[in-house]
Amino acid sequence: MENMWGQARAELLKTVGQNNYRNWIEPLEYDGVSDGVVTFRVPTQFMGNWVSRNFGEKILSELNSVGAAAKRVEFTVAKMAPKARPAAEKKTAEPTRDEGDLPGAPIDSRFTFDSFVVGKPNELAHAAARRVAEGDSATFNPLFLYGGVGLGKTHLMHAIAWDLKLRQPDLRVVYLSAEQFMYRFVQALRDKQMMDFKQLFRSVDVLMVDDVQFIAGKESTQEEFFHTFNALVDQNKQIVISADRAPGEIKDLEERIRSRLQCGLVVDLHPTSYELRLGILQKKVEFYRDKYPGLVIADGVLEFLAHRISTNVRVLEGALMRLFAFASLVGREITMELAQDCLADILRASERKVTVEEIQRRVSEHYNIRLSDLIGPKRVRTIARPRQVAMYLAKQLTSRSLPEIGRRFGGRDHTTVMHGVRKIEELRGEDSQIAEDIELLRRALES
Ligand code: ADP
Ligand code: MG
């Protein structure tokens, strides 16, 4: 049966998505089967209910499709066995998970400050999170972290929770997504347990709500969130919020909530830089050394990945994990060819699409001329040459046709574009300044 559960999990990963999988399926521990009832251990009652309601059917059907002959799945709250983890990580003691009555989601033990790589794009957010994790007093309240997908918001929140619990095991730290908050709220309404709900949330010491943009447009949830928020701030309890954008940019968020959110410290996580991505990859490699002994990565592979997969750290990590798994399976060194082969789909999906508009902007900045001049009718050399450079780059770096490019340069004819492109091709061979300009621009546009 354990085996079947292994297979069923692999299928579930495909159908529920990585996020759901990580939050809800992965933490389940197979307990046993009797009379066709398959039981899993879960850390909290809340989690059991949630999984049962949202994924119960799916789990059952996946189990049956790999031949389990199960009638029902059940979830029982139990102290969970600590996850087997690579030795490097074992030295951190596990904070007690035994908090049955608290409403939060489990804290992921991989997301610590130790495993968080700090670079320019995230140093402020990291410093603020560290400060909150010291837990002396609510210095910034709330701490509002925002930034694009996969830049480390959830990681930092878990790290805060983890750190706080290590220092002060009795602290009531609650982490949950805004979606879970809403789910709890709706459930309490339905079961006429609003008093309990309010009491529960007002009794925590630190409340962290992830992806708060989720409650935009959901009026009664917002209302309740607002009251919870105020009650906690009044008691000087720390609140940490994350969202995918700044408070002022979340549509359909009540004004009073928006201004409340803005009155603490608002910090953003910037898109990762090449250096940060490389740092993250190196850290991961170091971390998994024990788990995949004999793993050899050829020079340049990490640099290649950091260069090519630039938007989302989650995808970057996923790529590395796939390489590890593949290489250890076939017992081969991870070479550039292997990486390109094994990651073709990811690399294709994260190919950066340069637009003609971006090229125009960069080129006009580079030559210090106005964008309107670059596109406009002026024909003096100081403008016409950069214009031809921009046309050349548009032809090289985008899939636009000559007439399409012409249209974007103030409605010029495709023959004009062609002439410009040829001219630059010619000049590249003769004029080292132009060659250098183009190289510089190309690199900036592709990074
Ligand atoms: P977000 O919540 O902002 O969408 P996550 O916190 O879930 O992003 O991060 C996505 C993945 O990338 C996680 O596995 C996380 O550990 C990893 N990650 C993101 N930023 C960093 C970083 N600076 N150092 C190490 N890992 C990171
Ligand atoms: Mg997140």
Side-chain angles (χ1 to χ4, degrees):
M1 181 53 101
E2 286 233 52
N3 238 336
M4 292 182 188
W5 173 229
Q7 289 173 38
R9 287 214 308 193
E11 287 308 310
L12 284 161
L13 174 58
K14 291 185 208 151
T15 55
V16 305
Q18 267 197 23
N19 249 345
N20 277 329
Y21 181 83
R22 202 173 67 197
N23 290 333
W24 307 112
I25 308 294
E26 206 171 52
L28 300 178
E29 276 176 13
Y30 172 72
D31 191 54
V33 56
S34 125
D35 257 355
V37 179
V38 183
T39 309
F40 296 96
R41 289 186 292 267
V42 289
T44 62
Q45 190 58 51
F46 166 62
M47 182 164 169
N49 291 342
W50 176 274
V51 175
S52 164
R53 188 176 301 249
N54 291 282
F55 304 109
E57 292 288 319
K58 279 208 183 77
I59 293 174
L60 187 64
S61 87
E62 291 300 351
L63 279 171
N64 284 328
S65 73
V66 296
K71 284 190 296 211
R72 212 168 63 228
V73 288
E74 277 185 1
F75 303 90
T76 149
V77 181
K79 211 167 168 56
M80 314 271 294
K83 286 249 156 62
R85 276 177 277 128
E89 207 197 4
K90 275 198 186 121
K91 55 180 185 282
T92 24
E94 184 131 0
T96 49
R97 285 206 177 183
D98 194 11
E99 300 176 57
D101 61 329
L102 280 179
I107 301 299
D108 191 318
S109 60
R110 292 168 309 175
F111 295 165
T112 61
F113 283 120
D114 270 353
S115 65
F116 192 80
V117 180
V118 186
K120 262 257 150 19
N122 61 23
E123 65 185 359
L124 263 181
H126 172 259
R130 280 275 193 193
R131 174 65 72 80
V132 166
E134 282 163 14
D136 305 334
S137 64
T139 340
F140 328 113
N141 217 3
L143 170 61
F144 189 101
L145 298 170
Y146 77 91
V149 179
L151 297 184
K153 302 180 295 293
T154 299
H155 188 134
L156 281 178
M157 290 174 106
H158 282 237
I160 293 172
W162 191 255
D163 234 42
L164 282 169
K165 291 297 286 177
L166 275 180
R167 282 172 217 238
Q168 306 173 57
D170 296 331
L171 207 66
R172 295 167 66 87
V173 181
V174 166
Y175 162 88
L176 79 179
S177 68
E179 186 181 2
Q180 289 160 353
F181 180 86
M182 184 182 86
Y183 169 77
R184 299 279 306 205
F185 169 62
V186 171
Q187 194 180 40
L189 276 180
R190 194 196 52 217
D191 300 345
K192 304 200 168 45
Q193 309 230 305
M194 273 315 289
M195 282 308 286
D196 291 349
F197 177 89
K198 283 177 191 290
Q199 222 165 24
L200 199 59
F201 275 96
R202 281 160 183 62
S203 72
V204 308
D205 296 312
V206 179
L207 177 66
M208 303 203 236
V209 182
D210 206 350
D211 290 318
V212 82
Q213 75 276 356
F214 180 84
I215 64 166
K218 310 200 165 71
E219 278 168 37
S220 45
T221 302
Q222 281 191 40
E223 174 88 18
E224 190 54 39
F225 175 72
F226 182 69
H227 292 313
T228 306
F229 186 102
N230 286 341
L232 289 172
V233 171
D234 285 347
Q235 298 172 62
N236 208 21
K237 298 293 169 64
Q238 179 71 51
I239 295 179
V240 183
I241 306 283
S242 87
D244 63 355
R245 65 202 77 177
E249 281 160 21
I250 305 177
K251 275 210 211 82
D252 297 321
L253 191 67
E254 271 186 59
E255 192 46 47
R256 54 181 184 163
I257 297 188
R258 182 169 303 162
S259 56
R260 264 297 195 172
L261 290 177
Q262 278 163 336
C263 64
L265 179 69
V266 178
V267 275
D268 60 339
L269 289 124
H270 296 276
T272 55
S273 59
Y274 168 78
E275 289 76 18
L276 179 59
R277 292 193 295 277
L278 187 58
I280 292 172
L281 289 173
Q282 285 163 342
K283 181 113 186 173
K284 289 274 153 189
V285 170
E286 192 185 307
F287 188 83
Y288 282 99
R289 268 274 139 71
D290 304 338
K291 197 169 165 193
Y292 298 99
L295 193 75
V296 184
I297 304 174
D299 281 350
V301 170
L302 296 184
E303 287 79 1
F304 169 74
L305 295 181
H307 181 65
R308 290 290 300 275
I309 306 175
S310 59
T311 47
N312 185 329
V313 180
R314 193 172 300 136
V315 175
L316 189 65
E317 279 183 3
L320 190 66
M321 295 326 293
R322 194 198 288 179
L323 275 185
F324 282 0
F326 190 79
S328 76
L329 211 63
V330 297
R332 267 167 58 191
E333 175 184 352
I334 301 180
T335 58
M336 200 73 112
E337 291 74 53
L338 182 85
Q340 273 165 337
D341 225 40
C342 178
L343 303 174
D345 56 331
I346 298 179
L347 292 171
R348 215 174 308 118
S350 48
E351 233 164 56
R352 225 169 84 56
K353 307 253 182 331
V354 182
T355 64
V356 176
E357 288 69 24
E358 251 178 290
I359 293 172
Q360 292 172 334
R361 193 172 50 74
R362 284 278 186 173
V363 170
S364 54
E365 276 168 19
H366 181 82
Y367 290 104
N368 209 8
I369 61 176
R370 287 209 195 94
L371 186 59
S372 55
D373 282 342
L374 187 84
I375 299 166
K378 289 192 186 158
R379 301 177 72 164
V380 288
R381 167 75 64 90
T382 49
I383 289 169
R385 193 65 86 221
R387 183 184 296 136
Q388 289 175 330
V389 167
M391 287 173 172
Y392 169 83
L393 287 168
K395 185 72 195 108
Q396 293 276 310
L397 302 180
T398 75
S399 54
R400 299 281 175 200
S401 64
L402 293 175
E404 281 175 318
I405 294 173
R407 237 171 284 139
R408 286 173 170 74
F409 280 83
R412 287 179 159 79
D413 193 70
H414 77 276
T415 51
T416 311
V417 181
M418 193 159 61
H419 172 75
V421 173
R422 292 220 177 114
K423 184 76 199 165
I424 298 300
E425 269 166 5
E426 215 178 282
L427 284 176
R428 268 189 83 172
E430 308 161 359
D431 185 335
S432 63
Q433 182 60 52
I434 290 255
E436 202 176 293
D437 286 354
I438 285 173
E439 202 33 46
L440 216 72
L441 283 161
R442 196 182 56 76
R443 235 180 292 144
L445 284 158
E446 283 183 336
S447 73

